[in-house]
Amino acid sequence: MIVYTCEDSFEAILTCIYDAWASGLGHRNLKLMVEPVGNLELFCEYRHVDPDSTKVESVIRSIHKKISGYAYQMIFRCAMSCSSEKADIIYRFLLLGFHYGRQITDMVQLPPVLALFELDRAVGNEAHYFREFIRFLNMRGNVLVAHIEPKSDVLTFLAPPFQDRMPSENWMIIDDNRKSAVIHPSDQDFYLTTLTEEEFKRLKTLEDPDDPYIDLWKGFFETIAIKPRENYRCQRSHIPLWYRKHATEFQNPLP
Amino acid sequence: MEIIEKDLSLQEKLNILADAAKYDVACTSSGVDRGGKKGSLGNSCAAGICHSFAADGRCVSLLKILQSNECVYDCKYCLNRASNDRVRTTFTPEEVSQLVIEFYRRNYIEGLFLSSGVCKNPTYTMELMYRSIDLLRNHYHFNGYIHVKAIPNAPQELIEKIGYLADRMSINLELPTAEGLHELAPHKTQASILKPMSLVQNRIVEHRLAIGKDPHMERSGSNRYLSGTIFDTAGQDRIRENASYPAVDSFRTPSLYRPDPFVPAGQSTQMIIGATGENDYQLLTTTQKLYQQFDLKRVFFSAYVPLNEDSHLPSLDTAPPLLREHRLYQADWLLRYYGFQAQDLLSNERPNFNILLDPKCDWALRHLELFPVEINRADYATLLKVPGIGTKSAIRIVKARKTGVLTFEALKKIGVVLKRAKYFITCQGKMQYHLRIEEDFITRQLTGEDYKSSWEIDNPQTYQQLSLFDDNQFASAQPIFSDIQKSLHGQL
Ligand code: SF4
């Protein structure tokens, strides 16, 4: 078994797919994995692939031409997933996709298609949850800052809806785990960037813990529930504990 | 008797006016897509967005508050009624705007749901509400979602002025019969509720015609594959005679003339369940009529929570009828998305929902002659009638079978709930198991499965996630949005 491995980026994954395809080894004899590879297996040969923009372009063009733009979007979302299987799932999907063409995205009865759909849904759901549950803190200077710790790399999906929502505000969303951020200066387009440890720390000091709207919101949130209908399990199924970490209304409840 | 407190803090006011607003259930931010624009704050997403979930599991999407909890009316079921001894307070328009803007910027909310008690009189109250909305839209350039409740007996001009600024308006029917209303809400009449409702409807129709749209509100896209839904049989008479159509010479190209939208997310209403003696059939036929005659976007149901001691009302220890509310939401869904009519589900002889079975299973068991259906051939409308197949899985079946024959294994992956559907379908002529299509047998099988979840709805402390739809949650690239999330639990 030959295992093609690459770093965890969209470009690297597509390059990896290109190389695996071009190897002519036969699809049954190879596998794709994103690094770091967990348990190395004895009878496998690992081949690391570096991203190559010409190959990336060629794969993107083929997806658009032979399958559809819709399929491309799904693949892009899947590539942002935290699953270690994602490169292989995309690869298996493309094998079928290049064969069946556009209709492949209706063929959910095929396991590799289903696998891609499920991955896509997981990433889409996570991005949507953060769109609902992220909370901005008001910083001195009227800049809004939100922190998230997502499993998948959802920043690219979060930024456009917030740019539409608050086009004339200064805001940023920070992925605490990846130390990456989208920054949106008022009336301009957002951009992605990475933060150094110092920048990260400096931002913390600018937060305004006395923002009066924090308590107003908590008060509202507690009041709005109807006692005789109290149902914590239902609440938990909608807003899992894991998403509450940065949600204002779940931090230090009012006395 | 009332105490008007002059020196309440903003926090105290907010708590009082949110507490007084929380029994209104229609808190979705759905129905209109509107992109943001520079210089303004906010946008709107037609599917609706939840921002949090309160301790009762209900979605928090809008800042739901009253402008004032002062009230000169005396509706028996209401906490704010004139005869209750309570601390009374009123928001200034400035306070409402500040809260909305600052909550919105922090991503706490999608917008505002503004209702009110009748402070002094209906005109004074609506004027105050208008000033709040006007300040928000025109001074603070708030472009997010706004839902305003119309006050019965308020003047037409004010309702119209608000309609041009709000996304959704609603006026609560409260009780399905005029008698019930008379008994419990002596200051309201059905006419005082239906008049503003048809006023709003007419303005919506005018606006839609003026911009070249169909006069009726958009309904689920997949309804076009169905015939005889409640929306078609509402028929031609739905274009009202008193709607004034734009004259031909007033035609201008859209780029030059675009009239302001009027209540673009449509109207909704709410009925209280269990305060008076109506049966489910009455409630559901009223719901259907509201959709047909007033083209409402949504009808909401609110399980009665006893708040006042009153000889006309159920006693204070009555538990809210949550299962009944849930059944009504399920039936409402069947009307709007599945091509059912109220008369298919209930009748004068069987006026109440089966507590053990959801309305669709119940219907199917009474129509076993129509089953089993062949998955690889049945049309969309027929597939939808199968328990265990929802709108999403029906569409997926229709698409997927074009590329090959479907097996039970594939159906499961597509999201069909086989533990229900297996009694009603064949794949390539065969049922999944050798099962008898026999009413008593299937009923016993299905109620066994449903019993637990039904019990849990009425006993929310033991809640289990359960679905209003038949689809397993599969493969929708989009997760559940606010509208659905709430209906899922019959807790809108
Ligand atoms: S009008 Fe009736 S329902 Fe509305 S606040 Fe007053 S008493 Fe309550």
Side-chain angles (χ1 to χ4, degrees), chain B residues 71 73-75 77-78 80-81 116-118 174 188:
Chain B
C71 194
Y73 287 4
D74 203 39
C75 308
Y77 46 82
C78 175
N80 309 316
R81 63 182 191 178
S116 187
V118 185
E174 313 288 14
K188 295 177 185 168

Side-chain angles (χ1 to χ4, degrees), chain A residues 140-155:
Chain A
R140 287 173 250 272
N142 247 358
V143 177
L144 297 162
V145 178
H147 290 269
I148 57 173
E149 294 175 50
K151 293 177 188 151
S152 309
D153 191 357
V154 296
L155 275 185

Side-chain angles (χ1 to χ4, degrees), chain B residues 2 68-74 80-83 88 117-119:
Chain B
E2 53 191 57
S68 171
N69 71 339
E70 287 181 46
C71 194
V72 295
Y73 287 4
D74 203 39
N80 309 316
R81 63 182 191 178
S83 56
R88 308 281 173 165
V118 185
C119 177

Side-chain angles (χ1 to χ4, degrees), chain B residues 24-29 59-62 64 113 300 482 486 492:
Chain B
D24 210 299
V25 287
C27 177
T28 74
S29 55
C59 151
V60 181
S61 177
L62 303 173
K64 184 160 56 172
F113 175 102
F300 295 100
S482 80
K486 277 171 284 187
L492 285 125

Side-chain angles (χ1 to χ4, degrees), chain A residues 39-230:
Chain A
N39 298 324
L40 295 177
E41 283 172 51
L42 205 50
F43 299 102
C44 288
E45 180 194 332
Y46 294 87
R47 293 186 187 166
H48 169 82
V49 176
D50 280 321
D52 173 330
S53 59
T54 335
K55 293 175 181 172
V56 174
E57 273 165 37
S58 139
V59 177
I60 293 178
R61 229 179 304 119
S62 308
I63 298 173
H64 278 283
K65 228 172 70 205
K66 297 194 185 139
I67 313 177
S68 62
Y70 176 62
Y72 174 72
Q73 284 177 3
M74 290 211 331
I75 288 164
F76 182 80
R77 269 195 296 269
C78 289
M80 298 299 126
S81 152
C82 55
S83 157
S84 56
E85 309 276 298
K86 62 189 178 184
D88 204 62
I89 289 175
I90 297 172
Y91 176 69
R92 307 278 154 203
F93 170 80
L94 285 177
L95 292 182
L96 291 171
F98 289 144
H99 177 74
Y100 287 106
R102 172 175 290 275
Q103 58 173 341
I104 189 67
T105 41
D106 286 334
M107 300 171 79
V108 280
Q109 67 270 50
L110 302 176
V113 180
L114 189 74
L116 190 91
F117 265 74
E118 280 173 349
L119 200 59
D120 177 49
R121 181 175 67 108
V123 177
N125 281 356
E126 196 179 352
H128 184 79
Y129 272 134
F130 279 107
R131 186 174 168 190
E132 300 180 329
F133 302 144
I134 68 170
R135 301 286 178 258
F136 287 94
L137 296 166
N138 208 29
M139 305 225 299
R140 287 173 250 272
N142 247 358
V143 177
L144 297 162
V145 178
H147 290 269
I148 57 173
E149 294 175 50
K151 293 177 188 151
S152 309
D153 191 357
V154 296
L155 275 185
T156 41
F157 311 118
L158 273 180
F162 280 101
Q163 173 157 309
D164 191 55
R165 181 183 163 98
M166 307 199 283
S168 299
E169 299 276 346
N170 297 304
W171 52 260
M172 59 178 106
I173 305 173
I174 301 170
D175 182 332
D176 286 3
N177 295 337
R178 295 177 178 79
K179 294 278 182 293
S180 54
V182 287
I183 298 187
H184 177 270
S186 114
D187 295 318
Q188 294 172 43
D189 284 334
F190 68 82
Y191 57 91
L192 281 157
T193 182
T194 45
L195 295 176
T196 62
E197 201 57 48
E198 273 116 74
E199 287 170 317
F200 198 74
K201 287 209 186 93
R202 215 176 71 83
L203 277 171
K204 276 270 170 222
T205 64
L206 292 176
E207 282 169 16
D208 177 7
D210 300 322
D211 178 0
Y213 289 95
I214 293 178
D215 280 353
L216 283 165
W217 168 242
K218 286 182 184 172
F220 172 80
F221 181 75
E222 277 171 29
T223 309
I224 207 72
I226 298 177
K227 272 267 162 223
R229 301 186 66 136
E230 231 162 53

